[in-house]
Amino acid sequence: MRYKSGLTILCLIMSVQVFSQLQNLDSLLGEYRQKAAQEKIHIHFDNSRYLPGQTIWYKAYLLKGDEPSNLSKNLYLDWFDANGKLLSRTIAPVTNAVSFGNYTVPETFKGSHIQVLAYTGWMLNFDSAFLFRQILPVTNTQLPAPVVGAMVPVTTLQFFPEGGDLVEDIPSMLAFKAINSEGMPVSVTGTIYNKSKQPVCPFATTHNGMGKVSFTPSPGETYTAEWADPQGNIRTTELPIAKSSGMVITLSEAADNRYFSIQRRADSEERFKRISVVATLNEQLLFRANANLTDKTKITASMPVADFPSGVVRITVFNMNRQPVAERIFFVNNEEYKLIPGLITDTLNLDKRGKNVYQLSLPDTVPATLSVAVTDGQDLYDTSRNIFSQFLLSSEIRGYIHQPAYYFSSDAGIVLQDLDLVMLTNGWRRFAWENVLAGTTPSLRYPRDTGYLSIAGKIDNLSDARIKRAETLNLILMAKDSTKQFIFTPLKPDGSFREDDLVLFDTTKVFYQLNKTFIPARSRVNISNAFLPFDSLRTIGSLQKYLPDTTGMARIKAIMAEQKRVEELMKQASLKEVIVRTKIKTRLQEMDEKYTRSGLFQGGLSRDFNIVDDQTAFASPSAFAYLQSRVAGLQINNAYSTNPSATWRRQPVSYFLDEIATDASMLASISMSNVAYIKVFDPPFFGAIGGGAGGAIAVYTRRGDDTKTMSVGMNYTLLPGYTPIREFYAPNYAEKQINFTQTDLRRTLHWIPNLLYDGKGKQLVFSFYNNDISKTLQVVVQGITQDGKLIYLSKLLQ
């Protein structure tokens, strides 16, 4: 954690009553934070622009407050088109507060951009305004040309009194913000008039459509702003109506402090004469002050912000009834969160297909996880947002912030002034004071992830006797590559079952069968993965209006069109001259090499049976029935029951399923249609516990091409898992390959989603080959340390 210990308590003409009412605020906030901790997401994408059919690579970082989050195990990304139609959903496991994956833009995609919405189940308990959102441009040659004279976006203007309200006869700072219907900032100028149409004061935007003006409303007066939009049209906006009672808060900056003034009307009610002021960040109390305004209408004090953690701080004024009456947010940037890595050029080679080698160093002894993207420097990688701006600003503010990384580019006074305009004109309400003071938390519909994917379900219409006899449900999980896992999950009295914390990618066949008995025909088995429900018809509005940046677009379109033609050829397997020397193997030798893995099971003194090619095997209900009378010395009892046994030389036989130790009842539950190969080892078998004095029976279930000949045995269902993670393709020009004759136009030259730093000062080395056209390279590094420091570097190499 980056919090500095200690709470600043300032007593301004001490008010015992107010102090006593809020003295437990720290514990109330702590309780709220524990029950309703806020989770935030930042995603580092490999590039800023894509093409239909191309893969989007990403790395996600999750924070809880200012430390790596332990709240979630599953990350959901919804991919929408420009009209808000859901294209797909990807799900990735979260490990140590990070996750990475990929999504391929549909080949038939015809839009200008894709909208990404990322979240965890836990985040859905709170305001959806704080979910991660980003727009990714798609260069599409099939898009129609812009219509000349198309509709001009309409500009709107809003006013925001500092502290929340205007109060009659009290000077206030009045901020304003102008945006068009595309959500982009607009510059405007105008004048504020009273109801008698007399000018009160002029105003003009100063940064990204924002500005502020000092303003004192008169009693009973109303005001209107008259202003000109970029097209010269004269428009009007009503100002907020001033209240006849209340309080106004005003902030100003100093070197290491932030001064605040609080003022009330002279004829204020009694409840405004004793106040308490608190400052919080991430539901943590940083500052508390109390004041008695019985004999005065205004107080001024300071907060030692140099001791605060960085981020959006919320300052709130409470009256003597514990009601919030004025509130303001401001930003503290002490840069203690920041960790800038060093990038050392070992080899910079901008020639065609030149090899580049770099070393990355971190000035810290704490382990970290990073992601690295190297792109064509002429493509203007979008650096308008980064891990600093997302975690400290965008994820804390409701609404769109234009080019948020700018506010972390410098500590110059003008940047700080511009950032304060963002604070004045954007909403922030992660929690309501009424709930905190009442000790209540939001309704938590979505619990924390206790593990990864789950196999959960229930068998309907199952008698108590059958459940008691079975005790467990036997599951065989077969992935698309035919690898298998065996799970014996306990049955609850109501026939339900649940197996947690599994990591399964793509679609898995889940075969199921009751232990020692069978599932009646009248019973229905329901199995799910316990992920959030997926609604393929769900739509959203535009996350943010999109205006394409046409800078360098002609070059990008030409490059990307050619890249699309070449890309598939680049992925072809290399062709090398290979001389093969082999000898003919028997079918049983082929089966042994294909199925056995451990040296204890390979070859050896055993009787081997090829079940795949033995059509008579399917007449046997189990391996025990099949082996009966086939192996001299092997004695099998109750071969056709659900509880068989086997002995050799009067010693019990050991049992293995795919080389995993099991029991006889489990082997008996495996249909012969699912069996590929059986080995019966003469005693002793040293691969068994205790030396295997009775030998062993090893049954291997089918995989690969052998699964195509499987007949219907155990019932199964298809279970969707995590979205498959592809490996980023990067050519190795040190090897000679036939497809390297094609022009290399890659725009993402290198992508490392999970670069790990052990905290021991060792430099991280990575290398890649240039394409055929890039003369400058853009390197972007982002990451997070184990204790929550944020890592960022953007460097242009030329």
Side-chain angles (χ1 to χ4, degrees):
M1 294 181 67
R2 299 192 304 270
Y3 284 124
K4 299 181 181 180
S5 60
L7 164 67
T8 301
I9 302 178
L10 179 64
C11 297
L12 307 171
I13 312 176
M14 184 67 182
S15 168
V16 177
Q17 182 180 4
V18 179
F19 182 82
S20 64
Q21 288 175 331
L22 293 175
Q23 64 182 350
N24 64 338
L25 186 58
D26 200 6
S27 60
L28 288 173
L29 280 168
E31 183 179 346
Y32 187 93
R33 185 172 63 249
Q34 184 177 7
K35 293 180 180 178
Q38 304 292 307
E39 199 167 37
K40 302 181 284 188
I41 295 174
H42 170 67
I43 298 182
H44 180 191
F45 294 97
D46 71 293
N47 214 305
S48 302
R49 184 178 297 276
Y50 298 91
L51 191 72
Q54 281 193 325
T55 298
I56 300 170
W57 308 91
Y58 68 86
K59 167 78 169 282
Y61 299 89
L62 286 77
L63 284 186
K64 178 185 68 176
D66 70 341
E67 61 185 6
S69 175
N70 61 354
L71 295 174
S72 300
K73 296 290 186 181
N74 302 308
L75 177 69
Y76 302 86
L77 284 87
D78 291 344
W79 307 83
F80 298 87
D81 66 13
N83 298 318
K85 179 183 177 182
L86 184 62
L87 300 171
S88 181
R89 181 173 78 168
T90 57
I91 309 174
V94 177
T95 305
N96 296 325
V98 299
S99 181
F100 54 90
N102 49 265
Y103 168 73
T104 300
V105 182
E107 288 277 1
T108 57
F109 186 77
K110 293 180 171 58
S112 62
H113 61 279
I114 281 178
Q115 306 182 81
V116 186
L117 183 70
Y119 53 92
T120 63
W122 180 256
M123 293 173 69
L124 296 181
N125 289 310
F126 310 100
D127 193 334
S128 62
F130 297 105
L131 304 182
F132 177 88
R133 293 165 161 79
Q134 187 157 336
I135 284 179
L136 299 175
V138 176
T139 299
N140 201 324
T141 56
Q142 301 180 35
L143 282 176
V147 179
V148 178
M151 189 184 337
V152 176
V154 176
T155 301
T156 58
L157 179 66
Q158 287 181 286
F159 286 88
F160 304 88
E162 184 173 18
D165 294 311
L166 292 173
V167 179
E168 293 175 349
D169 285 333
I170 300 180
S172 297
M173 190 60 67
L174 186 63
F176 49 90
K177 182 178 183 179
I179 59 172
N180 62 25
S181 53
E182 305 294 341
M184 296 294 108
V186 173
S187 296
V188 300
T189 59
T191 302
I192 295 175
Y193 294 89
N194 62 19
K195 61 184 177 183
S196 301
K197 305 300 181 182
Q198 296 175 330
V200 177
C201 63
F203 65 91
T205 54
T206 57
H207 169 72
N208 278 349
M210 298 176 289
K212 63 182 180 179
V213 64
S214 182
F215 181 71
T216 304
S218 299
E221 189 66 83
T222 58
Y223 299 91
T224 301
E226 188 175 287
W227 49 279
D229 68 14
Q231 289 74 41
N233 300 312
I234 303 301
R235 301 183 180 276
T236 59
T237 302
E238 301 295 325
L239 268 64
I241 297 176
K243 292 186 174 182
S244 59
S245 65
M247 309 200 81
V248 170
I249 183 171
T250 304
L251 266 63
S252 59
E253 276 199 71
D256 294 324
N257 295 309
R258 183 68 67 98
Y259 285 92
F260 64 91
S261 296
I262 300 171
Q263 187 171 355
R264 66 172 178 85
R265 280 175 53 94
D267 57 353
S268 292
E269 302 166 40
E270 194 67 26
R271 58 194 172 103
F272 293 111
K273 295 180 180 179
R274 290 182 175 86
I275 63 171
S276 187
V277 183
V278 299
T280 61
L281 185 149
N282 289 329
E283 296 82 50
Q284 172 123 347
L285 187 60
L286 302 179
F287 174 88
R288 181 173 61 211
N290 304 281
N292 188 332
L293 296 181
T294 303
D295 300 324
K296 58 178 66 178
T297 59
K298 182 178 180 179
I299 58 119
T300 299
S302 66
M303 291 177 288
V305 294
D307 297 328
F308 287 6
S310 297
V312 177
V313 178
R314 178 184 186 181
I315 181 171
T316 308
V317 181
F318 293 88
N319 65 19
M320 63 182 299
N321 296 330
R322 298 204 311 175
Q323 297 170 326
V325 293
E327 190 167 80
R328 159 88 140 90
I329 59 174
F330 64 96
F331 196 85
V332 173
N333 190 358
N334 289 322
E335 300 195 350
E336 82 290 351
Y337 60 86
K338 186 181 297 187
L339 190 63
I340 306 299
L343 185 66
I344 303 172
T345 303
D346 187 308
T347 304
L348 174 62
N349 190 340
L350 298 177
D351 293 339
K352 288 185 177 181
R353 308 187 182 189
K355 184 175 183 179
N356 292 268
V357 182
Y358 297 92
Q359 297 181 31
L360 199 63
S361 62
L362 288 175
D364 204 346
T365 58
V366 179
T369 175
L370 307 95
S371 47
V372 179
V374 183
T375 58
D376 183 341
Q378 291 180 270
D379 276 2
L380 301 178
Y381 186 95
D382 181 12
T383 56
S384 66
R385 55 192 295 169
N386 57 43
I387 196 168
F388 296 158
S389 65
Q390 176 61 27
F391 276 138
L392 295 172
L393 183 58
S394 298
S395 63
E396 297 291 338
I397 297 291
R398 179 183 282 105
Y400 171 67
I401 302 175
H402 191 61
Q403 298 178 335
Y406 159 75
Y407 304 108
F408 298 84
S409 62
S410 168
D411 59 358
I414 185 64
V415 175
L416 299 179
Q417 293 173 24
D418 293 341
L419 178 55
D420 199 50
L421 287 175
V422 176
M423 300 293 101
L424 286 166
T425 57
N426 283 274
W428 189 100
R429 278 284 177 173
R430 274 201 176 273
F431 64 88
W433 278 116
E434 292 79 2
N435 293 335
V436 172
L437 296 175
T440 61
T441 55
S443 176
L444 301 178
R445 180 182 175 187
Y446 302 94
R448 288 179 53 177
D449 294 333
T450 56
Y452 295 100
L453 179 150
S454 299
I455 295 181
K458 185 179 181 181
I459 306 176
D460 296 328
N461 301 317
L462 207 57
S463 67
D464 294 342
R466 196 176 294 273
I467 292 174
K468 187 174 181 180
R469 181 183 181 188
E471 295 182 346
T472 63
L473 180 68
N474 301 333
L475 302 174
I476 301 177
L477 313 182
M478 186 168 71
K480 281 192 172 180
D481 63 358
S482 299
T483 57
K484 299 183 183 69
Q485 297 182 49
F486 298 88
I487 297 176
F488 314 109
T489 185
L491 281 174
K492 294 181 180 178
D494 63 350
S496 64
F497 54 91
R498 186 181 182 99
E499 198 71 30
D500 292 319
D501 223 19
L502 301 172
V503 178
L504 304 173
F505 288 91
D506 213 334
T507 302
T508 299
K509 274 188 176 181
V510 180
F511 294 87
Y512 54 88
Q513 181 173 312
L514 286 176
N515 189 37
K516 301 178 184 178
T517 185
F518 61 91
I519 300 174
R522 69 177 184 275
S523 296
R524 187 177 64 177
V525 182
N526 300 301
I527 299 178
S528 69
N529 54 23
F531 284 150
L532 294 177
F534 176 63
D535 181 5
S536 61
L537 300 179
R538 184 163 67 94
T539 60
I540 61 167
S542 180
L543 298 180
Q544 162 204 331
K545 296 296 184 180
Y546 170 71
L547 288 179
D549 181 0
T550 57
T551 306
M553 187 56 66
R555 177 179 182 272
I556 292 174
K557 280 190 174 183
I559 292 173
M560 295 185 78
E562 178 63 13
Q563 180 184 354
K564 192 175 189 309
R565 185 185 70 82
V566 170
E567 194 173 53
E568 292 304 317
L569 293 174
M570 295 288 291
K571 296 178 183 177
Q572 293 177 1
S574 61
L575 302 177
K576 300 179 181 179
E577 183 180 5
V578 180
I579 300 175
V580 179
R581 295 182 176 89
T582 186
K583 60 181 180 180
I584 298 175
K585 299 176 182 178
T586 66
R587 177 62 170 151
L588 279 176
Q589 287 175 325
E590 291 176 350
M591 296 290 286
D592 202 73
E593 288 184 3
K594 179 176 181 178
Y595 283 94
T596 59
R597 301 168 185 171
S598 167
L600 292 171
F601 289 86
Q602 293 172 349
L605 188 59
S606 62
R607 317 300 201 277
D608 303 338
F609 300 92
N610 172 10
I611 307 302
V612 171
D613 299 329
D614 185 355
Q615 295 300 314
T616 66
F618 302 113
S620 301
S622 70
F624 291 95
Y626 177 81
L627 291 174
Q628 194 168 41
S629 303
R630 290 180 184 263
V631 179
L634 178 66
Q635 182 67 40
I636 294 180
N637 304 308
N638 303 318
Y640 288 86
S641 74
T642 58
N643 192 27
S645 63
T647 58
W648 199 327
R649 299 174 188 171
R650 300 182 180 178
Q651 297 293 324
V653 173
S654 299
Y655 308 106
F656 295 87
L657 183 60
D658 288 333
E659 300 184 3
I660 298 174
T662 188
D663 57 23
S665 62
M666 180 60 200
L667 279 193
S669 71
I670 305 299
S671 168
M672 288 299 289
S673 63
N674 296 326
V675 176
Y677 185 49
I678 299 176
K679 299 190 73 169
V680 180
F681 292 93
D682 290 1
F685 177 63
F686 297 108
I689 297 175
I697 297 175
V699 174
Y700 294 86
T701 54
R702 300 189 182 215
R703 62 174 182 261
D705 294 339
D706 293 339
T707 60
K708 296 178 181 178
T709 60
M710 288 173 61
S711 62
V712 177
M714 296 174 66
N715 293 323
Y716 73 88
T717 187
L718 296 177
L719 186 76
Y722 292 109
T723 306
I725 300 176
R726 294 173 51 194
E727 184 177 353
F728 178 78
Y729 170 76
N732 180 4
Y733 286 126
E735 296 181 358
K736 197 169 185 179
Q737 297 185 20
I738 191 170
N739 58 313
F740 287 169
T741 59
Q742 302 295 325
T743 304
D744 184 354
L745 299 172
R746 290 170 300 129
R747 294 176 56 251
T748 299
L749 302 172
H750 202 47
W751 168 248
I752 312 175
N754 201 29
L755 189 62
L756 300 178
Y757 173 68
D758 60 9
K760 297 180 180 178
K762 183 179 179 181
Q763 291 183 329
L764 305 172
V765 180
F766 62 94
S767 62
F768 60 91
Y769 289 89
N770 192 16
N771 57 25
D772 289 345
I773 59 171
S774 294
K775 296 304 178 185
T776 60
L777 304 176
Q778 180 78 47
V779 180
V780 176
V781 180
Q782 303 195 60
I784 186 171
T785 65
Q786 204 171 70
D787 61 355
K789 284 190 175 181
L790 307 179
I791 301 168
Y792 180 72
L793 172 70
S794 176
K795 193 170 184 178
L796 188 66
L797 305 174
Q798 53 190 351

